[in-house]
Amino acid sequence: MKRLAWLSVVALCCTGCQQKSAETQPTGEAQQPAKDPAASDPPGIYLGKPLDYWTEQAARADRTEDTRRIVEALTRALEDERSNVRIAASDALGALGPAAEAAVAALVKQLDYPDASVRVAVMETFVAIGPASVPDLIGAFEHPDPVVGKRAGMSIRDIGQPAMAALEEAARSDVASVRDGAAEVIEQIKQDIERAASLPERAAAAEAIAGQRILTSAPDQWGQFQGPGRDSICTETGLLETWPEEGPELLWKLEGLGRGYSTVSIAHGIIFTMGGRELPGLPERQLVIALDLETRERLWATPVGLPYDDGPRCTPTVDGELLYALGTDGDLVCLETDTGEVHWRKNLVDDFGGQVMTKWKYAESPLIDGMKLVCTPGAQDAMIVALDKMTGQLLWKTEMPEIGDRGKDGAGYSSIAVAQIGGRRQYVQTVGRGVIGVDAETGRFLWGYNRIANETANIPSPRVQGDCVFVSTAYRTGSALLKITRDGDACRLEEVYFLDPREFENHHGGVVLVGDYVYGGDGTNKGAPVCLELATGRVAWKAKAPAAGSAAVLYADGYLIFRYDRGPVVLIEATPEEFRLKGRFTPITVEGPAWAHPVVHDGKLYLRHNDLLLCYDLSAGE
């Protein structure tokens, strides 16, 4: 096979870790008088001290600084040009809770900040501050951008019942946007209260759920998203059972992968991933990148599609001498693993009329099953397609019937699961209108379930055990267990249970099935560790989140690794008996959410965060 002309062994340059030197100083009421030396603080210094000092003060019970001064310093930090500074300041204000009331107005200004991770952080902080946030949030209903008002409404809804008095007063306002916004949130809070009170009783016991794990890549490789079984399960043993305070040993770090939420695949001694970045002499593109596992030298990088604001989401799927990847605009490529040369190329929009349910574009990692490549264009007449993996030729496509009004048409942000259900091999996928099952041989639509769909983003991949499918989405949706039974040539679907979002909803990081239990992070933009009994939906335990943000979960050697999107990584024992935290550390981080899923391969933990890849030693040794 022909080598690319620009094959390189030069380490990639860092593009994601550069810090901006300028800082926007606060204005208006938050600004100090001219005679105060703090008014001329240099960038990164607030009231004469660095941000780390103020965040530490906020977290301490025995603070040496006056709380009002801490709030003022953190409020100034909210005007920094760097997203990570704004996030840290917001989190610290949240740690102060109601004492941070004076910062609410400055926090409300962040609701139209371009970086979503900043907006998520401040929305969590409003909840921590509580009812004192509500008047300013109601004021945001008058913002000229109605999306800002929606975000304010979501924050008030999370505050819940304590916000009702202020909302009822606002519902009598003469300003239409305030009146309508308050009325909408009042109705949402009432629905939340009614739904929580009317949860049906569940059976104390359920039929035992048994199933088999279907591997779609080599068991000794990590050749695709979420591992050999696409289920976030690593079967390696001999790993650390506890972590030192500083975390496992960092073996190496690599910069220069570019922007993106793709995690890594590892096969044949090569690391494969995707990133948005420039190459010498070329403009920025979304790339598939190959790195030598031992030396971390770049072997090749192949452009896939045009750049996207925060990069690609797909993790390459490796299948022997070929690999498969999907760009955010639907550019589907088959590449040669040793050279990166394009073997064939399709586009899910141009070739199949595909669409994604909402604005964040394609995020799927393709499935290779035998001789088929299976993916989700999202068109009504081609919701899922199977292609000949060697040529890209269409084998079949799934026509999507109407299954309900919830959600939106198009593909979701999930990746397909393959399973043997009712004696029939099926592809199970969460799309814009809910979770569906299709026949693996023909692509014929078999069943669909609409109740789990939301209108924002259906993200977690479904999990299958035996003839049962567990599925969860966020944005106040919830979770469900479905039992699929064969009825002649058709399938019959039974809802075993539905969990209210206050019981369990998973946002970004997915869940993992270990034995008869489900483990994952609970909450929209949150990751409170939860253990559910799969058969009944009973909550075995739910713990307070050890870190802020959502969490991607991975099982390995009796333990769960939770990677939080603000950076921290925690180790939790995989037991239904009780929540047992076994380790925690914060690795090196860069800007943006750390949404890439963790990988464990050959005793090593791989953590991707935008431009940065870290490798830690998890081997327990002798």
Side-chain angles (χ1 to χ4, degrees), residues 65-382:
E65 291 278 1
D66 183 78
T67 302
R68 290 172 297 180
R69 186 169 174 82
I70 299 172
V71 171
E72 183 179 358
L74 294 172
T75 301
R76 292 186 175 211
L78 289 174
E79 296 300 319
D80 195 286
E81 292 182 352
R82 295 164 292 183
S83 294
N84 61 331
V85 172
R86 294 187 185 217
I87 292 169
S90 177
D91 288 347
L93 289 165
L96 291 171
E101 178 181 355
V104 170
L107 289 163
V108 169
K109 293 179 181 179
Q110 310 299 314
L111 288 176
D112 63 351
Y113 191 72
D115 189 333
S117 57
V118 173
R119 300 196 302 267
V120 167
V122 301
M123 289 169 73
E124 293 175 358
T125 300
F126 291 133
V127 179
I129 294 173
S133 299
V134 174
D136 285 287
L137 286 169
I138 288 174
F141 290 154
E142 297 186 68
H143 195 281
D145 184 352
V147 174
V148 173
K150 290 288 186 183
R151 292 168 184 155
M154 290 174 63
S155 299
I156 298 172
R157 183 176 178 178
D158 280 339
I159 293 169
Q161 178 71 44
M164 288 294 277
L167 285 169
E168 288 168 352
E169 181 178 350
R172 296 188 291 270
S173 171
D174 294 333
V175 180
S177 59
V178 173
R179 184 173 63 250
D180 294 346
E184 181 179 349
V185 178
I186 287 171
E187 184 60 29
Q188 290 170 345
I189 292 175
K190 286 181 177 178
Q191 290 175 2
D192 289 343
I193 294 170
E194 291 172 1
R195 186 164 46 194
S198 63
L199 289 174
E201 292 186 4
R202 300 185 182 92
E207 183 179 354
I209 299 172
Q212 58 179 346
R213 186 169 183 241
I214 296 180
L215 302 182
T216 57
S217 69
D220 60 338
Q221 308 284 356
W222 198 273
Q224 62 181 333
F225 181 57
Q226 297 184 337
R230 295 172 71 89
D231 52 9
S232 297
I233 290 178
C234 170
T235 58
E236 294 184 20
T237 57
L239 305 179
L240 290 173
E241 296 182 357
T242 59
W243 291 343
E245 184 176 349
E246 67 276 10
E249 179 188 359
L250 176 63
L251 298 177
W252 51 261
K253 67 176 182 177
L254 176 70
E255 299 169 335
L257 298 180
R259 294 176 295 161
Y261 304 131
S262 306
T263 187
V264 298
S265 298
I266 302 174
H268 318 306
I270 302 174
I271 299 172
F272 301 95
T273 192
M274 296 185 70
R277 56 156 295 168
E278 298 176 354
L279 289 171
L282 295 173
E284 181 179 336
R285 289 290 185 269
Q286 291 183 41
L287 308 170
V288 179
I289 301 168
L291 307 163
D292 185 278
L293 180 60
E294 183 176 351
T295 66
R296 275 87 66 196
E297 294 173 339
R298 189 179 76 196
L299 301 177
W300 51 260
T302 299
V304 172
L306 295 175
Y308 185 47
D309 54 3
D310 52 0
R313 291 96 158 87
C314 167
T315 299
T317 301
V318 185
D319 184 51
E321 295 182 355
L322 299 175
L323 68 83
Y324 306 83
L326 180 66
T328 55
D329 286 330
D331 295 294
L332 177 65
V333 295
C334 171
L335 308 179
E336 297 177 358
T337 54
D338 68 341
T339 67
E341 288 192 354
V342 177
H343 193 64
W344 57 258
R345 176 187 290 266
K346 295 284 185 181
N347 183 276
L348 301 190
V349 179
D350 296 340
D351 293 316
F352 306 110
Q355 68 178 76
V356 184
M357 64 178 293
T358 42
K359 64 182 181 179
W360 292 290
K361 300 193 175 186
Y362 286 100
E364 181 180 15
S365 297
L367 166 68
I368 295 296
D369 187 29
M371 292 302 295
K372 297 191 295 290
L373 177 145
V374 191
C375 62
T376 315
Q380 288 303 107
D381 65 344

Side-chain angles (χ1 to χ4, degrees), residues 19-39:
Q19 299 295 321
K20 298 178 182 179
S21 59
E23 175 188 356
T24 303
Q25 292 294 326
T27 59
E29 295 180 358
Q31 191 169 357
Q32 291 288 312
K35 63 181 181 180
D36 189 340

